[in-house]
């Protein structure tokens, strides 16, 4: 559909609807609102992580079961947030509950390996073809390890990342995560913009940014800085500005550019792992990096991360020259959950169900056409997003063109109609789960249709 055929969304109407939907939410969230005031006394903003507070107020969750969650006001939602995609297996899955209960009774921490870590590593090796694995507790730790390994292995200082990607909250990659148009600099030579105050002085100078889906730009950066570049880290699908798929051949070319310059190539599969395919993006696009970082869905809701690699990629850990460490690494409880999660829950068959659910959610595309919305849709297995742009988002800078009031209203609209989605600013994105029913998936589409009707008058 061409731009001229779409309707113009009336932003004044959108603003009016945001007010109405916020007021309707407040009525349903009487206890949440008073709890937030109480919580603010000891938890800054009333939350445990700054991004848990999204306007108009944090959603305080009481419990989850299967495809559903309940807030502390006892409103029930179909969960399309799924804890940023961690819960693709659904909440309180009986097999995970059983595994955790069994392990709790046997002791939960020794800072020594237990017998569950090996089957988890074996399963990861089968999914990815990467033979060696170490565990940690979060995506932040996994990408921190990736960066350290790349620098240690090559003896070089610089890291290339994609502009507009988040890889966790350690200094090394908290650069140009969501840079503003004013700060970002020219597309050909983006500035390295610190994402947070308090970073180690000089950190930003060790990170070079390039636009996603532009292998020529990566080649230019290597031409300019090649002998100093340790490696490149990339989310093979950008998942923190909608769902941005890689162009055909892009990932392979990046790998070749890195290797031609003696640099390493690392994937951040913290979000794509276990959600976009059984073998994550490595399987989906058929390009194997030197290192891969996993977290989120790996632990089935317990804090877990992993760094994996080829023999060359993990050489310094294999030789003992580089210590990859952590008190809770390979924690018995986490490994027990991960083992059952990978071997009995997120099996190959589970991905067939994700595709079926995806087919239903794709009903949103018909809604976009019917109402001539200035929007487009992308999905891959459990992940999907609607971009409020006729041309799908292809790289971070495309986001600047989007008026974030429309996706904000879309989020509130779904919330008030029994669908809990990840809060986000300029995009609508979601993660489905293997336990969703057809009706659960259809609810998203029905709400999207009533939303389309409302904003097009
Ligand atoms: C792509 C990506 N990498 C890394 C991280 C960091 O993971 P964690 O929050 O577990 O530290 C995130 C978190 O959302 C992420 O989206």
């Amino acid at each position: 559909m061409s731009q001229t055929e779409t309707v113009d969304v009336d932003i004044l109407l959108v603003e009016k609807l945001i007010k109405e939907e916020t007021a309707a939410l407040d009525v349903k969230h009487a206890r949440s609102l008073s709890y937030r005031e109480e919580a603010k006394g000891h938890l800054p903003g009333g939350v445990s992580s700054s991004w848990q507070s999204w306007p108009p107020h944090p959603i305080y969750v009481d419990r989850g079961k299967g495809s559903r969650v309940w807030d502390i006001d006892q409103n029930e939602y179909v969960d399309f947030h799924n804890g940023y995609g961690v819960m693709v297996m659904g909440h309180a899955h009986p097999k995970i509950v059983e595994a955790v209960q069994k392990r709790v009774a046997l002791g939960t921490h020794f800072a020594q390996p237990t017998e569950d870590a090996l089957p988890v590593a074996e399963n990861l090796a089968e999914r990815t073809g990467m033979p060696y694995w170490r565990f940690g507790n979060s995506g932040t730790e996994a990408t921190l390890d990736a960066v350290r390994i790349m620098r240690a292995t090559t003896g070089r200082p610089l890291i290339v990342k994609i502009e507009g990607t988040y890889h966790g909250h350690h200094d090394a990659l908290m650069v140009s995560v969501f840079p503003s148009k004013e700060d970002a600099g020219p597309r050909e030579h983006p500035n390295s913009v610190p994402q947070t105050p308090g970073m180690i002085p000089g950190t930003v100078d060790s990170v070079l940014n390039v636009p996603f889906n532009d292998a020529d730009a990566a080649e230019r950066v290597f031409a300019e800085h090649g002998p100093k570049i340790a490696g490149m880290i990339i989310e093979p699908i950008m998942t923190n500005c909608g769902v941005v798929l890689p162009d055909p051949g892009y990932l392979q070319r990046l790998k070749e550019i890195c290797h031609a310059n003696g640099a390493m190539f690392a994937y951040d599969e913290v979000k794509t792992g276990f959600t976009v395919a059984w073998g994550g993006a490595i399987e989906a696009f058929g390009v194997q990096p030197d290192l891969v970082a996993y977290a989120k869905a790996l632990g089935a809701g317990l804090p877990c991360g992993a760094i994996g690699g080829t023999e060359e990629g993990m050489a310094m850990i294999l030789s003992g020259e580089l210590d990859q460490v952590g008190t809770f690494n390979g924690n018995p409880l986490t490994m027990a959950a991960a083992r059952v999660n990978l071997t009995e829950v997120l099996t190959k068959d589970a991905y067939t169900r994700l595709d079926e659910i995806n087919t239903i959610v794709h009903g949103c595309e018909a809604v976009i056409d019917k109402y001539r919305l200035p929007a487009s849709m992308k999905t891959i297995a459990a992940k999907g997003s609607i971009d409020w742009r006729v041309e799908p988002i292809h790289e971070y800078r495309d986001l600047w063109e989007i008026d974030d009031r429309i996706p904000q209203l879309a989020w509130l609209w779904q919330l008030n109609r029994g669908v809990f989605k990840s809060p986000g600013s300029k995009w609508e994105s979601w993660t489905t789960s293997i336990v969703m029913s057809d009706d659960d998936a259809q609810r998203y589409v029905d709400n999207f249709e009533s939303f389309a009707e409302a904003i097009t008058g």
Side-chain angles (χ1 to χ4, degrees), residues 96-425:
I96 306 291
V97 172
E98 190 191 350
V100 170
Q101 281 174 341
K102 269 192 189 156
R103 183 67 244 184
V104 164
L106 297 171
T108 54
H109 184 69
F110 314 106
Q112 288 300 125
T114 53
E115 285 181 312
D116 280 324
L118 178 57
V120 177
E122 281 169 345
N123 188 286
L124 288 170
E126 205 188 320
R127 285 174 194 247
T128 62
M130 317 279 273
Y132 292 109
W133 296 88
R134 279 288 182 83
F135 299 106
N137 309 284
S138 66
T140 294
E141 289 171 54
T143 63
L144 181 157
D145 283 334
V147 167
R148 181 159 302 155
I149 293 168
M150 292 197 287
R151 288 210 172 105
T153 305
T154 60
R156 297 172 174 185
L158 302 181
I159 299 293
V160 181
K161 78 179 273 288
I162 299 291
E163 187 175 51
T165 51
Y166 176 63
H167 295 290
H169 59 278
H170 56 97
D171 279 19
L173 296 171
M174 271 297 250
V175 179
S176 296
V177 176
F178 303 118
S180 68
K181 199 172 180 174
E182 293 68 40
D183 292 338
R187 184 182 180 279
E188 299 69 43
H189 281 100
N191 296 334
S192 287
V193 182
Q195 178 64 28
T196 174
M199 287 177 40
I200 300 167
T203 305
V204 291
D205 302 331
S206 64
V207 180
L208 302 163
N209 287 277
V210 291
F212 191 67
N213 269 330
D214 186 346
D216 291 342
E219 197 145 44
R220 271 198 307 277
V221 157
F222 274 92
E224 287 166 18
H225 304 274
K228 287 188 173 171
I229 297 174
M232 175 166 191
I233 184 161
I234 180 169
E235 257 201 295
I237 300 171
M238 287 177 91
T239 58
N240 289 309
C241 59
V243 169
V244 188
L245 300 172
D247 288 343
Y250 172 61
L251 298 170
Q252 178 63 30
R253 207 167 141 218
L254 289 184
K255 178 176 170 178
E256 286 164 11
I257 294 168
C258 287
H259 287 183
N261 286 278
M264 297 176 77
F265 184 51
Y267 276 176
D268 174 348
E269 288 227 49
V270 168
K271 274 189 154 174
T272 55
F274 318 106
T275 58
V276 303
W278 179 77
I282 293 178
E283 178 192 340
F285 303 109
V287 178
Q288 197 190 54
D290 303 304
L291 296 168
V292 59
Y294 281 119
K296 296 214 194 281
L298 173 58
L302 274 77
C304 188
I307 179 79
T310 59
E311 183 145 11
E312 297 76 26
M314 295 291 269
M316 289 202 75
I317 299 178
L318 284 162
S319 68
E321 288 165 278
L322 175 64
D323 289 336
Q324 184 273 349
V325 295
T327 301
F328 287 103
N329 287 9
N331 171 264
L333 200 54
T334 309
M335 288 294 105
R339 176 185 184 161
V340 169
N341 186 31
L342 298 197
T343 59
E344 295 181 34
V345 180
L346 294 181
T347 56
K348 283 188 179 163
D349 293 345
Y351 293 82
T352 312
R353 180 61 193 148
L354 288 178
D355 288 339
E356 288 165 5
I357 294 163
N358 199 359
T359 308
I360 300 172
V361 179
H362 248 282
C364 290
E365 202 150 53
V367 174
I368 291 172
D369 286 345
K370 179 175 166 191
Y371 291 85
R372 297 188 298 121
L373 300 176
S376 44
M377 178 174 186
K378 283 168 296 187
T379 61
I380 175 163
K383 293 279 183 198
S385 76
I386 291 169
D387 303 339
W388 285 95
R389 194 170 184 271
V390 177
E391 285 300 319
I393 297 169
H394 190 244
E395 61 175 272
Y396 171 73
R397 290 179 184 226
D398 294 341
L399 276 186
W400 292 338
E401 294 166 22
I402 293 174
D403 189 318
D404 51 13
R405 288 169 287 189
I406 306 175
Q408 173 67 5
L409 175 60
W411 181 71
L412 286 166
W413 194 271
Q414 292 279 4
L415 203 57
N416 271 324
R417 289 156 188 79
V419 169
F420 186 33
K421 246 166 20 110
S422 308
S425 56

